[in-house]
Amino acid sequence: MSYDQIAQVLRKLQSRYGWNPIMEGEFIIGVQLDGQSVTLEPGGQFELSGAPVETIHQTCAEVNSHLYQVKTICEELGTGFLGLGFDPKWRIDDIPVMPKGRYALMKKYMPTVGTMGLDMMFRTCTVQVNLDFGSEKDMIEKFRVGLALQPIANALFASSPFKEGKPTGLLSGRGWVWTDVDKARSGGLPFVFEDNMSFERYVDYAENVPMYFVYRDGKYINALGQSWKAFMKGQLPALPGEYPTMDDWANHLTTIFPEVRLKKFLEMRGADGGPWRMICALSALWVGLIYEDQAQRESLALVSDWTAEEREYLRVEVPKYGMRTPFRGSTIQSIAKQVVAIAKGGLERRGHDEVGFLKQLEIIADTGLNQADHLLELYNTKWQRSVDPVYREMMY
């Protein structure tokens, strides 16, 4: 889809359903309504950022409403939305760049710091879950569980085995991309597991991540590779004599891409995009693991003796082998079964009748076959080695 086609969808969300436009200059780049927003990622990926809610039922209702609206509009326009972790067919050069100033800067910078940054920008799609915390101690525990278990989420949700019309040999092409995007701002954050982890320690880390830009008067000022600490001293080459605002800090935090990202909440970032039932399942997984005290203790105990080397091993190997990734004399499948069981117990004790959202994950954990495995089976049999049918199979 071109930007003009995507803009039509945003304009119809505005005119038909009452969303308010988000503009950058003359371009509509998103819409917002009642604490929710729909924004554009670099290659035209739609991102729904939901409002804070209390239960998975509310999250799922929000997603249902969004998908109903965009599906209705797209059927009229002869287009659709695909739930996958990686674009199965198009080359980077085939994909239009959305008209957001920060993306132009990132496109220029990414190839200087890693080999797959442009893939990340233009060809990947993830589903994320944002979770609150009650204290610094609670944040640290949730952060550690989240970082250690992101590869398990990747194994459960992998849905990106294709690239440019062919299998890649990977199950999560999206997960693999993140192994070489920009090591200064991505990865598994080993310091989170150290005894001196705190809010302040994360701020120290973020201050040392090279900057992308400063946003002033509706424009993105190029600050690629420059130092936040210099900005704090009024010595930023891009804006000499100026000091950062809290909005500048909030913007800087959005340019950091670890497997779990800390803001005023924690973002779980390790799952491939997928069909509707898997979107709700991801919320159920993380809520079950760390939104109930006993489940959080059990999750923390499960990963407490994993070494930094083991966590990094899983981050790199799971995108290749999924549930079959060897680990401690067995495979990740055995860990996935434990993780889903802990989440199920947490949801049961929460008492909101949310356990049903885990059903698909229980099947994946029990069989050891994720969405990518099934797509590859279809490719090699029913689809006669063509990726084209995936557009119908995985369309919302």
Side-chain angles (χ1 to χ4, degrees):
M1 292 174 68
S2 67
Y3 167 72
D4 289 340
Q5 290 174 301
I6 294 170
Q8 278 188 286
V9 179
L10 294 173
R11 287 295 187 193
K12 286 183 178 291
L13 284 172
Q14 177 189 357
S15 62
R16 186 174 301 180
Y17 298 108
W19 292 75
N20 301 307
I22 302 170
M23 305 296 295
E24 187 169 309
E26 63 186 285
F27 299 106
I28 185 169
I29 57 168
V31 290
Q32 54 192 356
L33 179 70
D34 297 335
Q36 306 170 66
S37 64
V38 176
T39 53
L40 299 181
E41 291 298 288
Q45 305 97 318
F46 256 43
E47 178 176 304
L48 170 68
S49 299
V53 296
E54 292 187 5
T55 72
I56 301 162
H57 298 286
Q58 292 169 314
T59 294
C60 232
E62 190 177 61
V63 172
N64 273 345
S65 175
H66 169 68
L67 291 178
Y68 166 77
Q69 291 178 12
V70 296
K71 184 178 167 99
T72 301
I73 292 168
C74 284
E75 284 176 350
E76 296 172 7
L77 299 176
T79 57
F81 283 91
L82 188 65
L84 283 178
F86 196 96
D87 191 305
K89 193 167 182 177
W90 305 117
R91 296 176 299 114
I92 291 173
D93 291 343
D94 297 325
I95 299 171
V97 184
M98 296 299 103
K100 296 176 73 170
R102 65 183 287 169
Y103 296 155
L105 293 174
M106 290 172 66
K107 184 178 181 183
K108 177 182 177 182
Y109 185 68
M110 282 293 181
T112 70
V113 291
T115 62
M116 293 187 280
L118 296 183
D119 284 311
M120 179 276 289
M121 289 180 65
F122 295 106
R123 299 204 281 189
T124 64
C125 182
T126 185
V127 179
Q128 300 175 5
V129 177
N130 297 340
L131 297 158
D132 204 356
F133 43 81
S135 65
E136 184 172 67
K137 178 178 180 293
D138 187 43
M139 176 276 292
I140 294 168
E141 290 185 356
K142 286 177 164 61
F143 210 158
R144 289 173 176 170
V145 170
L147 284 170
L149 293 183
Q150 287 307 311
I152 311 306
N154 194 356
L156 287 165
F157 288 84
S159 70
S160 48
F162 304 122
K163 176 181 177 180
E164 297 178 12
K166 296 180 293 187
T168 59
L170 304 164
L171 295 178
S172 175
R174 182 210 59 83
W176 178 251
V177 159
W178 279 107
T179 63
D180 192 17
V181 168
D182 181 348
K183 289 181 171 53
R185 68 185 74 242
S186 61
L189 306 186
F191 70 86
V192 172
F193 296 84
E194 296 174 2
D195 291 342
N196 62 349
M197 175 56 186
S198 63
F199 287 122
E200 185 175 358
R201 183 76 190 279
Y202 190 84
V203 169
D204 290 342
Y205 156 74
E207 284 186 315
N208 284 298
V209 174
M211 293 178 64
Y212 277 167
F213 60 82
V214 180
Y215 191 64
R216 288 287 185 274
D217 301 321
K219 295 183 179 179
Y220 289 91
I221 297 169
N222 185 340
L224 291 171
Q226 295 180 25
S227 166
W228 178 268
K229 290 184 175 180
F231 198 10
M232 292 288 286
K233 297 175 183 176
Q235 299 171 1
L236 189 70
L239 281 176
E242 286 205 33
Y243 294 86
T245 65
M246 286 304 295
D247 284 342
D248 293 326
W249 177 243
N251 282 332
H252 181 59
L253 290 179
T254 69
T255 70
I256 301 170
F257 310 125
E259 295 295 293
V260 178
R261 181 162 64 184
L262 175 62
K263 296 180 180 175
K264 294 180 179 179
F265 45 82
L266 288 166
E267 296 178 353
M268 304 296 169
R269 300 166 51 85
D272 283 9
W276 170 82
R277 65 184 179 276
M278 297 299 287
I279 295 175
C280 299
L282 187 67
S283 295
L285 178 69
W286 288 114
V287 167
L289 289 173
I290 59 175
Y291 256 34
E292 194 277 328
D293 288 345
Q294 180 179 328
Q296 182 164 312
R297 289 194 300 271
E298 291 173 358
S299 301
L300 200 60
L302 177 65
V303 304
S304 61
D305 67 340
W306 294 7
T307 66
E309 291 76 19
E310 285 176 319
R311 293 191 300 269
E312 182 63 11
Y313 160 81
L314 292 176
R315 190 175 79 88
V316 172
E317 296 300 307
V318 164
K320 303 177 194 174
Y321 306 113
M323 290 293 198
R324 294 178 287 280
T325 306
F327 187 66
R328 293 191 170 188
S330 184
T331 66
I332 280 302
Q333 183 182 0
S334 65
I335 302 295
K337 289 180 179 179
Q338 295 176 68
V339 167
V340 173
I342 292 171
K344 185 175 183 178
L347 293 180
E348 287 173 342
R349 288 186 293 273
R350 269 170 57 84
H352 294 299
D353 194 20
E354 299 164 318
V355 173
F357 291 111
L358 288 177
K359 182 62 178 175
Q360 196 65 27
L361 297 187
E362 290 182 296
I363 294 171
I364 292 170
D366 287 343
T367 63
L369 298 174
N370 56 34
Q371 294 173 101
D373 291 308
H374 291 300
L375 292 173
L376 287 167
E377 174 66 19
L378 287 168
Y379 173 84
N380 286 309
T381 55
K382 183 179 178 181
W383 296 352
Q384 298 181 335
R385 301 185 68 80
S386 168
V387 299
D388 290 347
V390 79
Y391 288 91
R392 183 168 298 278
E393 183 76 23
M394 301 297 283
M395 183 174 68
Y396 289 117

